[in-house]
Amino acid sequence: MKGLMQDFPLTLHHILWRMERLFGAKEIVTWQPGACHRYTFAEFTVRLRRLARALQRLGVGPGDRVATLAWNGYRHVELYYGVPCMGAVVHTLNLRLTADHLEYIMRDAGDQVLVVDVSLLPIVRQLEGRMPSVQHVVVMDEPGSPVPAGMLDYEALLAAESDTFDWPTVDERSAAAMCYTSGTTENPKGVVYSHRSNFLHTMGLLQVDSVGMRESDTVLPVVPMFHANCWGMPYACGMAGARMVLPHRQMGDAPTVLKLAADERATVMAGVPTIWMSAVELLEKSGQVLSDVRSVLCGGSAIPRRLMERMDRVGLRLVHAWGMTETSPMGTLANPRSWHVGEDEFKVRLSQGMPSPGVELRIAHPETGVALPWDGVAFGELEVRGPWVAAGYHNDADAGRVTADGWFRTGDVASISPDGCVSIVDRTKDVIKSGGEWISSVELENAIMAHPKVLEAAVVGLPHPRWMERP
Ligand code: AMP
């Protein structure tokens, strides 16, 4: 017997519908020199229609790739929505990569249009003559930085269009966005998100036992928008109706980030540990309290114990999460359960946490692939599956990363407690085997970073005549 419910498409258009119909007065605030740029979701959605028309006029059609090379700003959010909702694919380029890597990535993705922040044009100049698929370069300018000849002006393109555009019907399984993971030794690999995966990932982020973004939140993501969907924040804010505050190119500047958080009364922030290391130092010195912030999502690498303690002392609660570009990125999140009390609670907060609703995981023996017990002791390669986990890479790269029974091999080494709490102990690439025994480089790094004079540490394995490998 077939279920008789509507097969409503899980596409980003629904988030757009909510932004326009329910939360039109909510703001997107972007840092810029002088005063912040501000506009409402209503104004945002009007500009999206102009953007869609402009891209269509440039020849962008269903499935075509529109690359972005940009900081965290409102126009980048426009591309996050406008490109997939017109049926094309938004491909965020990592501005920290070398020109060689970017060239490889753009060729592999077959990008047709490149939209770039004017401050990042020096990167594009290095790529001149090396982007054969790119037909148009569109520049997002700033006052006093004109658009070079031969390139198009983003604002002029939008200004030339009307406000009306009928969003096409898009298959929920079609590609919405792309992001490359930059391997250290191999070529970068393209992760391709679908409308459906982004929709469901957004729903995952809104769960109260997850990040739990809500309408009353003001969200300040200090996560680059070129990295893993900006941890899904732009879509989650749209779905929930939360106010967005974007630090643009000041992302790495802790004083500006803290000023934005205070001035705009941020309630949720997100970023990697390095960001909070600089921030906590400033807060300790100044005695400033960010009393509106209820949650600071932190992942990308393990949170050192001392950082979490220091953040607790200045009144900022770090919520540890684990994920990957290939997992959209949310995989696990460390919100302690009701039974995690006392020292247990802190231990869980420091771990990578429990799988998000929608994500299943297991650990596998690195050599045999046999599933290992969840006893908090055995560790093996972490494998995940779920509707926002990669089923493969663009152009079939690295096909061996997905097991025959459909689990994605993360390359992370973890143990799992009986109640499902994940502790990442290492990565398969980095693992140090000393005298036949595994040594966790992460644990060593954390121990070293617990020293008050050490800010960051990295532990690597070196060949050793007796032990085979030593850290
Ligand atoms: P990326 O695809 O660049 O986001 O990198 C994903 C990788 O970062 C994971 O496979 C982990 O190795 C690492 N990572 C992410 N979050 C954490 C975390 N909370 N703790 C430890 N490692 C992490």
Side-chain angles (χ1 to χ4, degrees), residues 181 227 299-302 320-326 352 410 412 424 427:
T181 62
H227 197 152
S301 60
H320 195 186
W322 167 91
M324 307 176 73
T325 307
E326 291 91 331
Q352 277 68 21
T410 66
D412 286 324
I424 305 277
R427 288 174 143 199

Side-chain angles (χ1 to χ4, degrees), residues 29-38 71-75 117-119 140-145 246-251 253 256 259-260:
V29 180
T30 304
W31 177 92
Q32 63 181 20
C36 285
H37 174 279
R38 293 165 195 278
W71 299 105
N72 287 28
Y74 63 98
R75 291 166 173 147
D117 269 336
V118 72
S119 59
M140 300 188 280
D141 63 342
E142 287 178 24
S145 309
L246 304 166
H248 204 258
R249 58 184 145 86
Q250 297 301 315
M251 217 147 46
D253 185 64
T256 306
K259 182 166 169 18
L260 267 179

Side-chain angles (χ1 to χ4, degrees), residues 194 196-198 200-201 327-328 357-360 385-390:
S194 63
R196 184 174 190 270
S197 71
N198 279 342
L200 293 170
H201 182 256
T327 63
S328 294
V359 174
E360 294 187 2
R385 67 176 181 188
W388 57 79
V389 176

Side-chain angles (χ1 to χ4, degrees), residues 182-382:
S182 32
T184 42
T185 46
E186 310 144 21
N187 277 323
K189 290 164 288 189
V191 177
V192 185
Y193 308 107
S194 63
H195 278 263
R196 184 174 190 270
S197 71
N198 279 342
F199 185 106
L200 293 170
H201 182 256
T202 304
M203 298 293 272
L205 284 178
L206 299 195
Q207 306 268 321
V208 281
D209 274 337
S210 170
V211 184
M213 230 102 74
R214 47 179 104 117
E215 181 276 327
S216 54
D217 276 322
T218 290
V219 180
L220 170 52
V222 200
V223 184
M225 287 183 68
F226 54 76
H227 197 152
N229 285 319
C230 193
W231 295 4
M233 299 279 151
Y235 299 133
C237 288
M239 186 76 103
R243 196 162 161 264
M244 253 179 269
V245 179
L246 304 166
H248 204 258
R249 58 184 145 86
Q250 297 301 315
M251 217 147 46
D253 185 64
T256 306
V257 167
L258 291 179
K259 182 166 169 18
L260 267 179
D263 291 354
E264 302 300 329
R265 306 192 58 180
T267 59
V268 174
M269 300 199 284
V272 296
T274 307
I275 301 275
W276 310 120
M277 283 186 187
S278 332
V280 79
E281 202 142 322
L282 291 173
L283 293 172
E284 283 168 349
K285 276 191 193 134
S286 68
Q288 185 190 6
V289 179
L290 296 172
S291 50
D292 293 299
V293 178
R294 66 173 176 87
S295 180
V296 180
L297 189 65
C298 185
S301 60
I303 301 179
R305 183 184 185 101
R306 196 162 61 91
L307 175 64
M308 190 171 282
E309 288 166 348
R310 288 170 75 192
M311 289 286 278
D312 278 354
R313 279 200 289 274
V314 299
L316 293 180
R317 188 178 172 87
L318 284 179
V319 176
H320 195 186
W322 167 91
M324 307 176 73
T325 307
E326 291 91 331
T327 63
S328 294
M330 191 180 53
T332 65
L333 200 113
N335 274 329
R337 308 288 195 215
S338 54
W339 60 87
H340 295 136
V341 287
E343 180 53 23
D344 246 13
E345 196 221 353
F346 197 73
K347 236 173 82 187
V348 171
R349 286 183 60 208
L350 268 181
S351 79
Q352 277 68 21
M354 284 67 70
S356 155
V359 174
E360 294 187 2
L361 36 87
R362 68 182 185 188
I363 41 175
H365 190 281
E367 273 129 42
T368 61
V370 168
L372 295 167
W374 291 18
D375 57 8
V377 179
F379 56 85
E381 183 169 7
L382 185 64

